[in-house]
């Protein structure tokens, strides 16, 4: 195994994180400081506040990551940072910190894609085999990504409106559950002894795209109708109906794509990969169809810098480094981030 030490920094949304990764696989440290308690009272991430909090904690988090790794800053071989996508002000904080470190230590800078990070998180615990298909389900993204070979990404399907996590958070908000609502809906769905069946958005017959705004509206309509009529709502049954609709569509499309592209493996990643219902159904279907399935452990599914270090290592191997004029790009495309 190679021994390169990469210090990775992730500040694309509401987690300030730094990690030291050895040889693209071994996590020497992975410090994650969440701002959830700050944004919770606003019911979502407030970009200005996120940037300010990143500024307040980034230096301390980087110092902790280096210290906990057992190495010195001078041992590092490269600095990786999330270039995008994400909130521009939040990304900027990590970018400035990464550039100054790379400059002062005189080591290469690796501009990294956030979603490539979510996908390569699986590499920290398992071995990716190509071709592979990644199911990316996070707060901002819902995509089926074909990985024909290492470092190459082809998006074969994406959401046309809400991301899965976004739909979870909006439904949770309507049910007056805390932010981020995904885990609360997940728990509620498991407590249900009944189900209120919700519609499935399959879109065109051959499409691998998704749409969750219709489902979200259907759930919100149920909540509003019950409130207006003063009727009691079986919230658990509704949560279960919502969750079953999401799982049915995501799993069915992913398995169809896995078959069509003859992939060796399925990878489930992004914050919503922590969903117990989705994990269970996908595990069962993959066993039935004998498709190997990789799901990172929950702490590596939500935003963290270790995953950024894992993805950055692929670029390191190909010596594809960024200049100090690199700019944070809130709309960075995954396909164009593929190795050349
Ligand atoms: O990947 P992530 O940490 O941040 C983004 O890059 O977006 O994903 C956060 C999303 C939130 O929408 C959150 O509600 C959702 O992941 N999430 C879940 C669960 N845990 C986190 N959604 C459903 N079930 C869960 N158990
Ligand atoms: Zn993420």
């Amino acid at each position: 195994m190679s021994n390169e030490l990469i210090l990775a920094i992730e500040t694309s949304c509401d987690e300030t994180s730094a990690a030291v990764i050895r040889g693209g696989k071994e996590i020497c440290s992975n410090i994650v400081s969440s701002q959830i308690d700050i944004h919770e009272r606003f019911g979502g991430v407030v970009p200005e506040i996120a940037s300010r909090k990143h500024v307040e904690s980034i230096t301390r988090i980087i110092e902790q990551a280096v210290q906990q790794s057992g190495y010195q800053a001078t041992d590092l071989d490269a600095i990786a940072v999330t270039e995008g996508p994400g909130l521009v002000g939040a990304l900027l904080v990590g970018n400035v910190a990464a550039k100054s470190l790379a400059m002062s230590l005189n080591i290469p800078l690796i501009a990294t894609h956030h979603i490539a990070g979510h996908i390569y998180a699986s590499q920290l615990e398992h071995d990716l085999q190509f071709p592979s298909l990644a199911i990316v389900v996070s707060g901002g993204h819902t995509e089926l990504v074909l990985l024909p070979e290492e470092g190459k990404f082809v998006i074969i399907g994406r959401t046309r409106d809400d991301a899965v996590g976004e739909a979870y958070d909006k439904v949770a908000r309507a049910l007056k559950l805390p932010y981020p609502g995904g885990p609360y809906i997940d728990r509620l769905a498991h407590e249900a002894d009944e189900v209120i069946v919700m519609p499935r958005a399959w879109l065109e017959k051959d499409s691998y795209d998704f749409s969750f705004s219709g489902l979200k509206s259907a759930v919100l309509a149920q909540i509003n109708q019950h409130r207006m009529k003063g009727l009691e709502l079986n919230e658990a049954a509704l949560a279960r109906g919502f969750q079953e609709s999401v799982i049915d569509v995501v799993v069915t499309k992913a398995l169809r794509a896995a078959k069509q592209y003859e992939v060796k493996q399925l990878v489930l990643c992004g914050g919503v990969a922590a969903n117990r219902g989705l994990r269970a159904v996908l595990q069962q279907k993959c066993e039935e169809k004998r498709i190997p399935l990789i799901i990172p452990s929950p702490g590596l599914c939500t935003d963290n810098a270790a995953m950024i270090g894992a993805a950055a290592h692929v670029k390191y191997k190909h010596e594809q480094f960024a200049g100090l004029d690199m700019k944070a790009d809130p709309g960075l495309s995954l396909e164009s981030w593929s190795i050349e």
Side-chain angles (χ1 to χ4, degrees):
M1 195 177 87
S2 51
N3 292 325
E4 304 85 21
L5 283 182
I6 297 181
L7 172 81
I9 300 171
E10 153 66 35
T11 61
S12 68
C13 191
D14 58 347
E15 260 95 30
T16 316
S17 182
V20 175
I21 302 299
R22 187 163 165 265
K25 278 195 86 70
E26 189 194 334
I27 303 176
C28 305
S29 62
N30 186 22
I31 313 286
V32 183
S33 163
S34 172
Q35 306 175 355
I36 284 180
D37 49 342
I38 297 152
H39 298 285
E40 200 176 8
R41 72 189 105 131
F42 302 104
V45 178
V46 184
E48 304 277 310
I49 299 178
S51 315
R52 207 176 324 137
K53 290 289 156 193
H54 285 311
V55 172
E56 282 170 18
S57 51
I58 187 81
T59 312
R60 176 174 48 86
I61 299 294
I62 291 174
E63 277 169 8
Q64 275 181 22
V66 175
Q67 201 181 27
Q68 261 197 29
S69 74
Y71 292 99
Q72 310 284 325
T74 46
D75 296 327
L76 298 170
D77 295 298
I79 306 291
V81 65
T82 308
E83 177 187 10
L87 303 168
V88 68
L91 289 165
L92 267 172
V93 180
N95 277 241
V96 171
K99 282 184 200 173
S100 3
L101 268 171
M103 197 163 70
S104 63
L105 295 167
N106 196 22
I107 52 177
L109 178 68
I110 307 171
T112 310
H113 195 285
H114 183 80
I115 300 300
H118 275 301
I119 295 172
Y120 272 82
S122 51
Q123 185 87 320
L124 295 164
E125 297 171 321
H126 310 268
D127 284 321
L128 275 174
Q129 296 199 343
F130 303 98
S132 204
L133 181 78
I135 308 168
V136 182
V137 277
S138 77
H141 294 263
T142 299
E143 278 145 17
L144 289 182
V145 184
L146 182 66
L147 314 170
E149 54 189 275
E150 187 177 72
K152 297 250 197 270
F153 306 88
V154 181
I155 298 177
I156 59 165
R158 49 159 53 96
T159 182
R160 294 183 186 169
D161 38 60
D162 289 353
V164 179
E166 193 181 354
Y168 264 95
D169 294 342
K170 286 177 180 167
V171 166
R173 194 173 176 170
L175 290 173
K176 301 191 167 49
L177 294 167
Y179 172 84
Y184 295 93
I185 298 281
D186 194 10
R187 206 170 305 150
L188 204 55
H190 275 84
E191 288 166 6
D193 41 22
E194 281 175 49
V195 57
I196 301 176
V197 178
M198 286 287 125
R200 271 90 169 130
W202 296 110
L203 305 177
E204 303 80 30
K205 194 170 161 288
D206 299 330
S207 176
Y208 289 122
D209 279 353
F210 301 98
S211 166
F212 296 106
S213 73
L215 169 63
K216 174 198 69 189
S217 303
V219 174
L220 299 190
Q222 285 272 346
I223 299 172
N224 290 335
Q225 278 165 17
H226 277 79
R227 280 196 191 135
M228 272 185 327
K229 291 180 190 160
L231 298 172
E232 203 183 317
L233 174 66
N234 185 340
E235 294 187 351
L238 187 62
R240 183 166 152 197
F242 166 76
Q243 178 144 311
E244 284 184 358
S245 169
V246 170
I247 294 173
D248 194 8
V249 175
V250 171
V251 172
T252 306
K253 291 203 180 215
L255 288 174
R256 180 158 57 83
K259 191 169 173 215
Q260 183 184 337
Y261 292 95
E262 297 177 355
V263 298
K264 292 199 176 125
Q265 205 176 44
L266 264 177
V267 179
L268 179 67
C269 60
V272 186
N275 186 274
R276 280 188 296 159
L278 178 58
R279 295 167 85 102
V281 174
L282 197 59
Q283 250 148 11
Q284 188 209 329
K285 297 273 179 198
C286 282
E287 262 168 42
E288 277 170 28
K289 304 221 179 282
R290 297 184 191 283
I291 305 173
L293 171 69
I294 298 184
I295 312 177
S297 41
L300 292 175
C301 283
T302 43
D303 290 352
N304 66 88
M307 69 184 201
I308 299 302
H313 187 250
V314 179
K315 290 253 160 165
Y316 185 92
K317 284 196 285 188
H318 289 82
E319 296 185 13
Q320 290 180 9
F321 302 126
L324 290 174
D325 56 351
M326 173 193 110
K327 286 193 182 66
D329 182 353
L332 186 66
S333 131
L334 177 61
E335 291 178 345
S336 67
W337 191 78
S338 294
I339 51 165
E340 286 146 19

